Amino acid sequence: MSDLKKEATSLHKAASGLRKVGNHTAKPLQEFQSASNDLSALGALGSLLGAKSDIEEGMTTLAKLTRRLDEEWEAEAKLIGEVSDAFDLLDVLLAAQARAKKG
């Protein structure tokens, strides 16, 4: 196997792994968002009543950032997949060129 083919295989595997990240984060993110809407335990503590909205806002921000990370990882996975495909094509072209020189 040529170096390009090995690199393409490795990139393809990395892209596949990145695409699966969202599958693993979807449920925990949903649970986290639900928890940010139910901070009733904090309401029982008078001194934290003012902090409740800050905590909700912080949790909402974290959830948004996590969704953006998932989007970024998906975009990176797409790019890595395209580079992998380009390496595969280059490997085929170089092999064809080598055969043409021999033939």
Side-chain angles (χ1 to χ4, degrees):
M1 185 183 288
S2 72
D3 288 340
L4 281 175
K5 185 66 176 169
K6 288 178 187 175
E7 192 66 30
T9 300
S10 177
L11 287 170
H12 178 72
K13 185 176 179 179
S16 178
L18 272 176
R19 285 187 192 98
K20 294 177 185 174
V21 168
N23 297 338
H24 298 290
T25 60
K27 185 177 178 187
L29 180 58
Q30 180 184 14
E31 291 171 356
F32 184 80
Q33 287 175 306
S34 295
S36 72
N37 294 324
D38 182 24
L39 298 174
S40 55
L42 294 177
L45 304 171
S47 64
L48 291 178
L49 283 175
K52 184 177 184 265
S53 63
D54 291 340
I55 293 169
E56 288 174 338
E57 184 180 324
M59 291 177 79
T60 300
T61 300
L62 284 172
K64 287 178 183 177
L65 289 172
T66 301
R67 281 193 301 275
R68 288 183 187 149
L69 277 173
D70 282 344
E71 292 169 3
E72 179 69 25
W73 290 330
E74 182 63 34
E76 295 218 6
K78 184 177 185 237
L79 177 62
I80 290 170
E82 290 170 356
V83 170
S84 172
D85 292 345
F87 281 0
D88 280 336
L89 179 59
L90 182 58
D91 188 53
V92 168
L93 292 172
L94 289 172
Q97 181 184 31
R99 281 192 304 272
K101 285 183 179 179
K102 287 181 181 179

